[in-house]
Amino acid sequence: MTATAEVLKPKDYKSDIRPVWCAGCGDYGVLNAVQNAFAALKLSLYDTVCVSGIGCSSRLPYFLKTYGFHSLHGRSLPVAVGIKLARPELEVVVFGGDGDLFSIGGGHFPHVARKNSDVTCIMMDNHIYGLTKGQVSPTSTPGMVATTTPFGAPDTGSVNPLAYALTYGASFVAQSFSGNPKALSEIVQQAIMHEGFSYVNVISPCLTFNKIDTFDFYKDAFVDLPADHDKSNLVAALDKAFNPPAGKVYNGVFYETQRPTLVENLKKVNQKAKADKNRDLNEFVEEFAI
Amino acid sequence: MTATAEVLKPKDYKSDIRPVWCAGCGDYGVLNAVQNAFAALKLSLYDTVCVSGIGCSSRLPYFLKTYGFHSLHGRSLPVAVGIKLARPELEVVVFGGDGDLFSIGGGHFPHVARKNSDVTCIMMDNHIYGLTKGQVSPTSTPGMVATTTPFGAPDTGSVNPLAYALTYGASFVAQSFSGNPKALSEIVQQAIMHEGFSYVNVISPCLTFNKIDTFDFYKDAFVDLPADHDKSNLVAALDKAFNPPAGKVYNGVFYETQRPTLVENLKKVNQKAKADKNRDLNEFVEEFAI
Amino acid sequence: MSDLIIRIGGEGGEGIISAGDMVAEAAARSGLEILTFKSFPAEIRGGYAMYQVRFSKDEILSEGTGFQVFCAFNQEALDKNRSQLVPGTVLVYDYPGGDIAEEVKIEGVTCYALPMSKIAKKDLDMYRAKNMVALGALSFTFDIALESLKELVKEKFGRKGQAVVDVNLKAIDAGAHFMRDNHKKTDPYKMGSVAKTGKDVIIISGNEAVGLGALIAGCNFLSCYPITPATEVANYLAVRLPKMDGTLVQAEDEIASLANVLGASYAGAKAMTSTSGPGLSLMQELLGLASMAEIPCVIVDVQRGGPSTGLPTKHEQSDLFMACHGGHGDASRVVLSAENVSDAIELTVIAFNIAEKYQTPVLLLTDGSLGFRTESIKRPDPRKYSVVNRDRFKAGGNGDAPSKYLRYKLTASGVSAMSLPGDAGGAYISTGLEHSESSAPSFTPEDHARMSDKRFNKLASVVDFVPPPEVQGDGPADLGVISWGSTLGTVREAVNQARAQGLKVKALHPKLVWPLQEKQIKAFASTCKKILVPEVNKQGQFAEILRGKTGVDAISYPIYGGLPFSPKQILEKIKEVLK
Amino acid sequence: MSDLIIRIGGEGGEGIISAGDMVAEAAARSGLEILTFKSFPAEIRGGYAMYQVRFSKDEILSEGTGFQVFCAFNQEALDKNRSQLVPGTVLVYDYPGGDIAEEVKIEGVTCYALPMSKIAKKDLDMYRAKNMVALGALSFTFDIALESLKELVKEKFGRKGQAVVDVNLKAIDAGAHFMRDNHKKTDPYKMGSVAKTGKDVIIISGNEAVGLGALIAGCNFLSCYPITPATEVANYLAVRLPKMDGTLVQAEDEIASLANVLGASYAGAKAMTSTSGPGLSLMQELLGLASMAEIPCVIVDVQRGGPSTGLPTKHEQSDLFMACHGGHGDASRVVLSAENVSDAIELTVIAFNIAEKYQTPVLLLTDGSLGFRTESIKRPDPRKYSVVNRDRFKAGGNGDAPSKYLRYKLTASGVSAMSLPGDAGGAYISTGLEHSESSAPSFTPEDHARMSDKRFNKLASVVDFVPPPEVQGDGPADLGVISWGSTLGTVREAVNQARAQGLKVKALHPKLVWPLQEKQIKAFASTCKKILVPEVNKQGQFAEILRGKTGVDAISYPIYGGLPFSPKQILEKIKEVLK
Ligand SMILES: Cc1ncc(C[n+]2csc(CCOP(=O)(O)OP(=O)(O)O)c2C)c(N)n1
Ligand SMILES: Cc1ncc(C[n+]2csc(CCOP(=O)(O)OP(=O)(O)O)c2C)c(N)n1
Ligand code: SF4
Ligand code: SF4
Ligand SMILES: [Mg+2]
Ligand SMILES: [Mg+2]
């Protein structure tokens, strides 16, 4: 994390591209909380890169003044990993939707998490495909009626993003709500401060296409994780992820631990390699001499 | 599951294509156990389809006399789902390697599991890429030295296939050993009998490229799951998956439950649809009348 | 007046599309032909949306050139279309009291101010009825099916109660009366009605047409992943497939979609997937598997602007290279492309028939503007289509003992009978590896050569299976136009005009774009001094393939602005080339 | 004798490859040129493996035609090569006491029985030394570097202890003595040595050459996914990149590999990935993103037999269509293809230079036989290569205020200065959406047209950046041969032979296959009555692209058996075409 010298306010992180989201979209709250968190952490506009895939949520980087990479549907995580590996000093934050990160992009998530790539991933979970005008996403309630599932989706279960991230080995896993920008901003700050792969599941309702997971529904559903929750216990965290109190949704940090990051491990690889014989181009050519 | 009329012996399931595996490869044990299980279940040669991706392990369907589909690297599961959806009466069994199912194919696994597609998936876990001559796989021990990781793999953690399958919502999750064909055959039978998505992790050593996860290592490492293990408790199963006794590997069924399968849910969709207005081609045309 | 184009522009969400659809349907009821053209913003909310409808007493071949009448719902719409408000056109705009701040005067353009927002808000107390006010005004002023429109309002809004019907009718009248009372009609555009009743007509979009075609062809399996502008194909079939005991699933991505399809087809289903460019890019490896393993399947690509995420809601014909040449290795496939909505039904049936007959992947290319556009077409009779099913293995009927079933038997036609799981004696391994006749892996030079030949030779007769490309015009010509996809209709119109002006121009209209119907193309080319190939992409993809395959010396005319050709553009190019 | 081809065939795992490599190195030390050709089974164990080495006192251009000497380690190897044991060739085979059951007699073929298994087992008590027995026999009989070979054995086995050295030397002697004592040499093949010492020579494989080229070019990032026959590129760099502070990671699949590469390059790395056909198919969507977002990157495709999983260890040049035309939309890119091992070094450097200079994806095509084959080449001097780096944004130096950095500024060259994260004032959003100069999403016809032009126009000068294709032969010709990739060397040899026989034949040797160096190709074609295009694929892919792009009337000569051309095949075709 590189802090900036000048003092920037949240609004200084906002670009002059006007958000294209529907009025009332949950993603506005995420944008606000992120600006807020960036300002609180004094992130540099130039040493921060916001990466995304495709979806309503994935448009977020355009609305910030930092560097950004609006990649392909599902590919934000491996793009972000490439950025971080090439330039470990950069702060790399990934934004995406539930479809982007857990449907088409779901094959990348486990490996980014288990390798503990030092990027922060903020998912705007609206339990729907917003940009393509309303199809079920992996986090949609089973049986949901949507455009490609007019008689109800046949999915028996849905993705539990928190449990997935925990099982994959993410070293920081938290959840918050776009309707509570203060709590969200705090969690985003913690996630960015965390060394290693951090994941924040943000409930961010789509009022246009999802009539189940609405602001109204979540307004009163959020409760903080119990004070005695042991953030260092993986199985306890999984239990909390799988079994929230009936009708409730947890806000807070489920899990946090310190593991070597991919960048750290690769540094060790390079050290070992350099201790080995043959170190430069001429020596490499010499290896082929007869 | 369709049983055959004639009485077939294990060897009757063997095709006349000679296995191409190295002498001593763990996959021979899997082939034997599978022939055994098929015979015990009296599976029909013609109503059974064995599907695979690419890898040493994925060659298995060639060595059986049933129908087979040797698809692409990582694509066995969605191919198998297509087969099952088109022809629910068929018995569909997927075979694959740790790279095939959890690296390149890792994006499909969660969705096949959570939708509870009624296919059986048998993974031959050798903790290595065999067919491409020895690279780390997602299940390899972190730090392993292999061809693309000559100074040790930089991966902080590895994939725990059992925990993944459990978190994904697989309704049957078990583990066994290619070195114990009897135990393995029994578990394969249970997996096939199970209605819904069943996953069997088979430790199947690659003696050519993996010098860590050897037969010798596993010979004494296998212990049965404790008799009092509650197979219906997801969190308990996860605990067992994450925390086996030091130096030990569990044999047995971690989790088993009954959930509606994808095929069942789709049947309900079709029932609803048929109760709806407009049911045939002429009516469909009529919908566009002005 | 036998032909009129009205365009409506405004903010997405203002009911422009639904209003436009109503007037189109009303017009069709009164016996007119209609063809619409829609443009959506790439974002969910806000942004410029456009609906255009072309009315005619005769067959309509394309979106046409520009418009005669433009109706501006807001300032942005007015700005975007300003350059096309040329002398002779008519502008109807929301003024005063709406988003447009000033009265508009344009030399040579008839400008009718219509305070639609104000009427809706003030007089009707329902801002949402703005679109109906506009509709009433347009129908009245240009004499298009006003009575049909009112009838339609009664039918459509009937179940919402009389109050809703009434306010909409009132809005229509308010628009009409405002025009009657406040403007003297000074423009020449008046559509009128025709004798025929339009009874045997349906209105259907390109995406729906693909869906209907699939149902007619016997499709019983679709796996999809949502993507603009193809999602409507799945949306349509999601309602209908389950009613016919079929299955539609939304997969986790496009790779899984095609994998699902190949599994289903291997097991006997008639299976398809629908996608757009980015999805088709992801499917390339599996497309090669379908070729190698000889699995019938249909892939519909509703093209959009590329490359990459590109211009998701814009028109383009730039996936041809990929469709014909994508994927590694020599992967055989067939590529069809539809000209219009009727064609989309027809070619979807043909696509399935080819897939089944030749056990091959078939790609059907349409595009964003064709997918969204609706047309009035003759009502299709599902029973009139011939449907082909794959050649099935019969135990002992393969010329071999049952235990020796040869899935990839070398035959004269190149096609081998296919068994399905469950067929006793028919077991084999469907495979992406090169193989012997029995499906066992084989990497010998002999097997690779003969299996490669099998995969390509069996497609040789596809060029005869698909109807020969239509020739427009006869005799020797100074110029022949060859195009593909939805540009064909525009070419037809331009060539009609050119010929009417005495130019010696012909056109060829292929629907099969890979493999090419070389014989007919060469024959056509031999009667033309020059060949022009207009298409909507940067590289002149079809021109290059045409040259590469037939040696025909094609003059490429590519445009790439995210919009279809107008007949005028093509006509002008024809004249330029002939100069 | 100035040219000799010896082939060894046997079971994979019998030490054929390592023995072959030793005799090749020994020969190179004694001043001979060498070029090897290897063929592996697609399975891990078992199956036929082949190693062939061509020795010459002069430059070697290709694998050559057939062999003069075949050494059979087992019956399968003998059977596979039987048809090539034509009069004039020599067979050395393991008999008696080995896998070959009967004495072999073939009309016109000199057959030397050599009981290599028996000698190794019985006399040396080390079956594994069979390969050394064979080597000793071959070196002695055909007079190839026997002394160098012994020296090499001492060096290579030195650290394993004197006992190992001794038994290997004994095996070599045993082979040599058996031949001396039991056979009278009746064949004419004797290589001998040359004056030059071979000091300035290295032996390197095609895959290693790509790796070395990447290091020379300044590559500091590789993300890969293992795949035959490309894995060795990554294996090579995995050892070297970290020593130069670079990074190599193995990703979860090919999609992630290229995504890693694009992220790394966006952040400033010189990044590449290496793969084969199936992997490149999966990368098509991201390749389009690289084009749209103008991100430099190098993708190496070591082609194998296709389509689908195909023939993983066999030779083919069938990914050209995909390389040039793959992916949806009009996606600009550059495609290079290497002729031989030296070329692989050179072109990898050029690939990086083009990627950086033009901010574009660059594909480098090699193939399985080139990837695995080794050659003795002149030792390259890493300092002699010029290395190009991308045009970097300088705050205020973009001609704009820092706050107005235009990442996609329209410039005369089409290339715009690129900022890297960390550059104050250089922030922008790299994007796959169509965009304005500032990188904001834009879907207007104007922006799409001018950005499309930018992406393609900037590549116009690539044809001048890459050295012009070499012309072999001069003056007007009856036939010109144009080919690509590793077939070029074979064409060179065949054309040399044809010209030596007085035929008026020329050849053109392009390394840049997309965009084409049209000027030079047309100029060349204009001096030839006919153009022949040999290539190893079913569809005649390069011939079609050549016709499509240049209109040159190419005669396609495709072969597709999983093997490279022999000079003889091409020579015969030349004669046939000239008849
Ligand atoms: C390869 C590919 N397939 C499909 C699409 C179409 N597409 C764009 S966004 C999207 C899903 C959006 O859902 P989500 O990721 O949840 O984001 P949201 O819009 O809900 O924020 C899809 C399917 C695409 N752009 N690329
Ligand atoms: C798209 C694609 N990428 C890469 C490969 C090369 N490949 C074949 S098998 C394999 C991995 C094999 O490992 P695993 O799945 O664990 O099977 P095993 O051989 O160990 O049984 C790879 C990378 C391929 N065939 N296709
Ligand atoms: S569609 Fe939903 S997710 Fe997209 S901008 Fe609108 S409210 Fe937000
Ligand atoms: S390489 Fe390993 S996995 Fe493959 S066949 Fe040999 S022992 Fe088995
Ligand atoms: Mg979403
Ligand atoms: Mg493995």
Side-chain angles (χ1 to χ4, degrees), chain B residues 114-177:
Chain B
R114 74 180 174 84
K115 294 180 184 178
N116 206 24
S117 289
D118 190 4
V119 302
T120 297
C121 176
I122 296 172
M123 181 163 106
M124 288 127 100
D125 190 358
N126 57 10
H127 309 84
I128 196 88
Y129 284 5
L131 191 59
T132 46
K133 308 200 172 178
Q135 294 79 32
V136 295
S137 95
T139 61
S140 296
T141 307
M144 191 189 221
V145 171
T147 75
T148 59
T149 51
F151 305 105
D155 307 10
T156 293
S158 50
V159 164
N160 183 324
L162 296 164
Y164 276 45
L166 289 165
T167 298
Y168 292 159
S171 49
F172 178 100
V173 177
Q175 179 163 267
S176 197
F177 182 38

Side-chain angles (χ1 to χ4, degrees), chain A residues 20-28 55-57 126 128-134 204-210, chain C residues 44-45:
Chain A
V20 286
W21 298 314
C22 307
C25 174
D27 296 350
Y28 286 104
C56 291
S57 39
N126 56 10
I128 196 87
Y129 284 7
L131 190 58
T132 46
K133 308 200 171 176
S204 177
C206 165
L207 79 170
T208 303
F209 295 111
N210 188 332
Chain C
I44 286 297
R45 275 293 151 88

Side-chain angles (χ1 to χ4, degrees), chain A residues 46-47 61-62 65 67-70 78-79 82-83 87 108 111 115 270 273-274 276-278 284 286-288 290, chain D residues 202-203 208 240 242-243 245-246 250 252 260 263-264 266-267 379 419-426 428-431:
Chain A
Y46 307 122
D47 298 317
Y62 287 108
K65 254 192 188 153
Y67 275 82
F69 198 136
H70 180 235
V79 166
I83 295 171
R87 299 276 304 282
H108 305 301
H111 306 286
K115 293 180 184 176
N270 286 12
K274 285 181 189 168
D276 192 37
K277 63 182 175 2
N278 297 350
F284 295 156
E286 186 59 30
E287 291 172 12
F288 296 110
I290 55 175
Chain D
I202 64 170
I203 293 185
E208 290 164 338
R240 279 96 192 160
K243 295 182 184 189
D245 272 322
Q250 179 179 309
E252 56 272 20
N260 284 169
Y266 160 85
R379 174 194 289 257
S419 69
L420 301 186
D423 291 349
Y428 73 101
I429 311 290
S430 190
T431 179

Side-chain angles (χ1 to χ4, degrees), chain C residues 98-327:
Chain C
D99 182 53
I100 299 172
E102 281 178 23
E103 207 183 329
V104 183
K105 284 203 178 117
I106 306 170
E107 182 70 33
V109 176
T110 309
C111 297
Y112 299 123
L114 168 72
M116 37 184 131
S117 295
K118 205 175 113 204
I119 294 175
K121 246 184 307 191
K122 297 261 166 74
D123 302 355
L124 304 165
D125 196 23
M126 185 161 94
Y127 180 65
R128 276 197 301 126
K130 174 178 172 185
N131 59 354
M132 290 293 150
V133 176
L135 230 52
L138 295 170
S139 283
F140 169 81
T141 308
F142 306 103
D143 188 17
I144 312 167
L146 189 57
E147 286 318 307
S148 293
L149 185 62
K150 287 185 184 172
E151 281 308 309
L152 201 62
V153 163
K154 285 177 209 159
E155 287 170 32
K156 294 257 150 142
F157 295 108
R159 31 166 208 180
K160 294 194 180 169
Q162 194 56 39
V164 177
V165 172
D166 286 347
V167 73
N168 278 292
L169 289 177
K170 240 172 107 179
I172 289 173
D173 278 336
H177 294 163
F178 183 91
M179 293 303 284
R180 182 191 63 197
D181 300 342
N182 293 280
H183 293 291
K184 195 173 126 47
K185 185 171 168 76
T186 54
D187 70 84
Y189 306 118
K190 254 185 165 335
M191 198 63 232
S193 64
V194 284
K196 51 174 174 162
T197 61
K199 260 265 153 76
D200 239 23
V201 162
I202 64 171
I203 293 186
I204 182 168
S205 74
N207 279 341
E208 289 163 339
V210 167
L212 183 60
L215 293 171
I216 292 172
C219 168
N220 55 4
F221 188 92
L222 182 137
S223 179
C224 65
Y225 190 71
I227 189 164
T228 307
T231 314
E232 287 69 26
V233 175
N235 289 352
Y236 173 79
L237 285 170
V239 176
R240 279 97 193 160
L241 263 184
K243 296 182 184 190
M244 300 189 78
D245 273 320
T247 300
L248 183 142
V249 286
Q250 179 180 308
E252 56 273 19
D253 62 13
E254 288 87 350
I255 294 179
S257 299
L258 187 52
N260 284 169
V261 163
L262 298 189
S265 177
Y266 160 85
K270 282 191 164 179
M272 75 183 275
T273 183
S274 47
T275 189
S276 187
L280 189 55
S281 282
L282 288 170
M283 292 175 185
Q284 289 303 320
E285 197 196 6
L286 279 157
L287 196 57
L289 173 62
S291 160
M292 186 60 123
E294 305 193 35
I295 301 176
C297 61
V298 172
I299 301 164
V300 177
D301 174 11
V302 186
Q303 298 166 95
R304 62 190 222 182
S308 196
T309 316
L311 303 89
T313 59
K314 299 293 174 202
H315 173 87
E316 203 159 271
Q317 306 182 276
S318 57
D319 294 351
L320 185 70
F321 269 167
M322 166 173 59
C324 304
H325 286 170

